[in-house]
Amino acid sequence: MMVSKERQGESERLIEIFTDGSSRGNPGPGGYGVILRSGPHTKELSQGFRRTTNNRMELLAVIAGLEALRIKGSRVLVWSDSRYVVDAVEKGWVFNWNAKNFTGKKNADLWRHFLRLYALHKVQFRWIKGHADHPENERCDELATGAASGKNLPPDKGYESGLFS
């Protein structure tokens, strides 16, 4: 199948995904915030849940960002203030957990979902210090905390069903 040069260029353009997760109590109501940026285009995403954990929301923010990508094989740079997420990927821990079927690991449902999406793109991660006046991280925090404060929040089915462990 031939791909037009214009379409080819789209898959080579860097897409930045800025993420943050929040939980009011751990567990408690939580949410995530995401900013996707590619060239002049920007999109914001957020969602809240009635009972979840901070780590789940940090990881779900990354998942939501990757799910929003329309072109397979995209070059992606994920910015996160979560050592849990960044180190798990960049240090290779999640791949070892996967090889051991996530035995004894929390959030296995989300990590499995993440790995399916991760395999579709060329993804790199960068850790940034949270609450350090990084404009996109601050905005993602606003989106996440706002989503966590919403009314009539849906369940985090993975967490509430016990599938997270």
Side-chain angles (χ1 to χ4, degrees):
M1 175 178 173
M2 295 289 292
V3 177
S4 72
K5 287 190 183 243
E6 180 180 300
R7 191 79 169 165
Q8 227 172 9
E10 286 181 23
S11 67
E12 291 305 313
R13 179 184 298 159
L14 179 66
I15 300 168
E16 291 181 290
I17 300 176
F18 300 89
T19 66
D20 198 21
S22 175
S23 180
R24 304 274 188 212
N26 206 18
Y32 66 78
V34 180
I35 299 171
L36 293 104
R37 183 170 59 205
S38 178
H41 307 287
T42 301
K43 182 176 186 174
E44 293 183 347
L45 308 169
S46 63
Q47 175 67 55
F49 297 90
R50 67 181 179 206
R51 186 167 173 80
T52 191
T53 66
N54 188 68
N55 280 344
R56 285 184 68 79
M57 293 299 96
E58 295 282 3
L59 181 52
L60 194 54
V62 174
I63 289 169
L66 292 174
E67 283 179 332
L69 301 178
R70 296 186 317 237
I71 301 169
K72 288 183 183 177
S74 294
R75 283 186 332 115
V76 180
L77 179 56
V78 176
W79 298 85
S80 173
D81 63 7
S82 171
R83 286 279 188 201
Y84 171 68
V85 173
V86 173
D87 286 351
V89 179
E90 289 298 302
K91 294 183 178 184
W93 303 338
V94 69
F95 308 107
N96 292 330
W97 300 339
N98 187 47
K100 296 176 183 175
N101 202 28
F102 293 93
T103 303
K105 295 298 174 192
K106 290 186 177 180
N107 306 316
D109 60 322
L110 295 181
W111 282 116
R112 285 185 180 101
H113 190 151
F114 164 79
L115 287 171
R116 287 189 296 275
L117 296 167
Y118 178 84
L120 299 175
H121 305 287
K122 300 171 213 156
V123 183
Q124 291 184 303
F125 281 78
R126 292 288 182 276
W127 179 80
I128 54 176
K129 185 174 182 176
H131 308 288
D133 295 325
H134 185 283
E136 290 85 358
N137 182 257
E138 294 296 327
R139 178 62 182 146
C140 287
D141 181 66
E142 290 173 7
L143 292 167
T145 57
S149 299
K151 303 228 184 286
N152 300 315
L153 297 174
D156 172 350
K157 291 179 184 174
Y159 182 80
E160 291 193 18
S161 70
L163 293 175
F164 68 96
S165 56

